[in-house]
């Protein structure tokens, strides 16, 4: 008999189900104390089919996107992070709606509107919808529907999903790697949405404090050798430093693009090509500068019975994130990587705008 599912886990799973529905272009209802907001994701829904039966289109967009479009949030003085709802006063095409949602297309479609800003009927539900878009790796833009959606979730479901660090070790094997032919790899799985994370243990475990690296997945840097970031070189430098210590652990977190997902990271790259730095690009897309959850790493260390670490990082937020979850960071070890012409500005931005330091 399967173990009973906790109420917290059940709420997290409802949010995971809603995120899956958004990725498939299906409607969801977000329920708050002031009512239900029924939404369709702009990025994945069949817009042509939807628009064919509509005489009016209402859109929910992020506050940063509205700011770019020079639209006022009617409650901005109280909460600048609130999304903005607009009504299109003309027969918009699918291409025009995508252009409203995606800032990467601004130079191709500079003229937009006219828009009619509307007061949010369900502000808390609207904020929750933006968070769901981030978790799903989608543009934070929705069609507002009058028809009730079959799949519904509450705000506390999304909170449970965001706070969920219910991981289990699902697999363990030997994995000889260049840094250590006797390394071991552990596979972790989230009970909320089945996301996988891995830990690579390098060296012979003993009573000393391990050298640990929290490394967020970066397909472009780790696998393709991108010169735009320093992720690949940092990964290999960290493994090298672990091999020189008594032992170490690489925590490889599936949080691509600082938590906004691969596709949105590539959109941020496109905005960087237009002259925005990495911070402004994320914000222009409607996301936080850094949306990663380092409590996942803390839970992985707990499952590996590692209460204290020497942390390989230039990012003070990783130190704070682990210590806030009860992991003792005995020492911060810098990761020194030489800049190249393609990532020099990026590294300067991390130093000047996000507090990275050697």
């Amino acid at each position: 008999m399967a173990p009973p599912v906790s109420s917290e886990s059940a709420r997290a799973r409802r949010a995971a189900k809603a995120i899956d529905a958004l990725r498939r272009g299906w409607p969801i209802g977000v329920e708050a104390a002031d009512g239900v907001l029924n939404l369709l994701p702009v990025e994945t829904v069949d817009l042509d089919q939807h628009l064919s039966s509509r005489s009016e289109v209402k859109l929910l967009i992020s506050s940063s996107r509205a700011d770019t479009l020079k639209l006022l949030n009617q409650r901005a003085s109280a909460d600048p992070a609130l999304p903005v709802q607009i009504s299109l006063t003309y027969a918009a095409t699918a291409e025009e709606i995508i252009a409203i949602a995606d800032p990467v297309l601004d130079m191709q479609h500079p003229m937009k509107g006219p828009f009619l800003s509307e007061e949010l009927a369900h502000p808390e539900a609207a904020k929750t919808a933006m968070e769901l878009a981030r978790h799903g790796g989608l543009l934070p833009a929705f069609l507002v529907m009058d028809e009730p959606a079959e799949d519904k979730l509450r705000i506390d479901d999304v909170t449970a999903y965001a706070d969920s660090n219910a991981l289990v070790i699902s697999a363990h094997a030997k994995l000889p790697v260049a840094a250590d032919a006797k390394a071991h790899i552990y596979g972790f799985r989230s009970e909320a949405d089945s996301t996988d994370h891995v830990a690579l243990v390098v060296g012979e475990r003993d009573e000393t404090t391990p050298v640990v690296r929290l490394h967020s997945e970066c397909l472009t840097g780790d696998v393709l050798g991108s010169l735009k970031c320093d992720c690949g070189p940092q990964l290999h430098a960290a493994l090298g430093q672990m091999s020189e210590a008594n032992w170490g652990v690489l925590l490889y977190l599936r949080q691509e693009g600082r938590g906004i997902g691969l596709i949105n990271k590539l959109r941020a790259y496109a905005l960087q090509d237009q002259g925005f730095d990495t911070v402004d690009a994320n914000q222009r897309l409607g996301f936080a500068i850094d949306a990663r959850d380092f409590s996942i790493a803390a839970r992985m260390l707990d499952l590996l019975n590692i209460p204290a670490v020497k942390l390989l990082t230039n990012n003070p937020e990783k130190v704070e994130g682990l210590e806030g979850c009860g992991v003792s960071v005995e020492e911060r070890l810098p990761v020194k990587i030489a800049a190249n012409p393609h990532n020099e500005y990026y590294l300067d931005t991390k130093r000047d705008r996000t507090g990275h330091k050697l």
Side-chain angles (χ1 to χ4, degrees), residues 258 268 272 276-283 345-346 349-350:
R258 297 201 198 107
Q272 290 172 35
F276 298 95
D277 67 25
T278 182
V279 169
D280 289 335
N282 273 29
Q283 292 180 317
Y345 180 51
Y346 167 79
T349 300
K350 289 210 297 184

Side-chain angles (χ1 to χ4, degrees), residues 5-303:
V5 177
S6 69
S7 59
E8 197 74 6
S9 180
R11 286 195 289 267
R13 290 185 181 185
R14 280 197 295 271
K17 181 181 177 183
I19 291 167
D20 181 66
L22 292 179
R23 288 171 174 161
R24 297 171 185 270
W26 297 346
I28 64 164
V30 182
E31 185 176 355
D34 53 6
V36 179
L37 185 61
N38 296 295
L39 303 166
L40 272 169
V42 165
E43 183 173 350
T44 52
V45 72
D46 186 338
L47 284 173
D48 288 318
Q49 181 180 20
H50 174 80
L51 295 173
S52 65
S53 59
R54 303 282 165 173
S55 58
E56 182 184 28
V57 176
K58 295 183 179 181
L59 287 176
L60 187 71
I61 58 177
S62 69
S63 58
S64 61
R65 185 61 181 144
D67 184 59
T68 299
L69 297 174
K70 308 302 181 187
L71 297 171
L72 291 177
N73 178 344
Q74 295 183 19
R75 304 182 187 219
S77 59
D79 188 350
L82 273 180
V84 171
Q85 181 171 313
I86 59 176
S87 178
L88 306 188
T89 58
Y90 59 95
T93 65
E95 182 181 26
E96 288 170 327
I97 289 177
I98 288 293
I100 292 170
D102 189 349
V104 175
L105 303 176
D106 282 348
M107 296 181 72
Q108 298 177 38
H109 301 272
M111 302 300 293
K112 301 179 181 68
F115 306 121
L116 177 64
S117 295
E118 299 181 335
E119 183 174 359
L120 284 174
H122 311 296
E124 291 305 313
K127 287 176 66 175
T128 299
M130 296 295 117
E131 186 67 9
L132 280 170
R134 181 186 69 78
H135 285 305
L138 302 173
L139 286 170
F142 295 90
L143 297 163
V144 180
M145 308 293 296
D146 294 325
E147 302 87 344
E150 289 187 15
D151 287 329
K152 291 182 182 179
L153 76 162
R154 293 185 55 84
I155 290 176
D156 58 0
D157 295 336
V158 183
T159 302
Y161 180 88
D163 293 342
S164 174
N165 59 1
L167 299 177
V168 294
I169 296 178
S170 297
H172 167 227
K174 295 178 181 178
L175 182 68
V177 296
D180 177 18
K182 297 181 179 180
H184 285 244
I185 191 166
Y186 294 80
F188 300 78
R189 178 160 290 170
S190 165
E191 294 183 347
D193 62 359
S194 297
T195 298
D196 299 327
H197 309 275
V198 298
L200 182 73
V201 178
V202 174
E204 194 70 29
R205 180 167 182 163
D206 57 25
E207 297 304 315
T208 63
T209 302
V211 172
V212 172
R213 167 72 181 171
L214 275 58
H215 191 89
S216 298
E217 179 182 38
C218 178
L219 173 70
T220 50
D222 299 342
V223 178
L224 303 179
S226 167
L227 299 176
K228 286 179 67 71
C229 65
D230 57 346
C231 299
Q234 280 200 346
L235 172 62
H236 295 292
L239 288 170
Q241 288 178 255
M242 290 176 197
S243 68
E244 295 172 358
N246 287 355
W247 67 296
V249 182
L250 170 72
L251 301 180
Y252 198 83
L253 310 175
R254 303 295 298 278
Q255 300 189 98
E256 182 83 49
R258 297 201 198 107
I260 67 173
L262 176 60
I263 299 302
N264 283 322
K265 183 180 83 169
L266 299 184
R267 290 186 174 115
Y269 279 1
L271 287 170
Q272 290 172 35
D273 291 341
Q274 296 176 18
F276 298 95
D277 67 25
T278 182
V279 169
D280 289 335
N282 273 29
Q283 292 180 317
R284 196 172 180 88
L285 283 167
F287 300 113
I289 297 170
D290 193 335
R292 289 175 291 182
D293 180 4
F294 297 125
S295 70
I296 294 170
R299 177 57 180 156
M300 294 167 72
L301 290 170
D302 181 53
L303 290 172

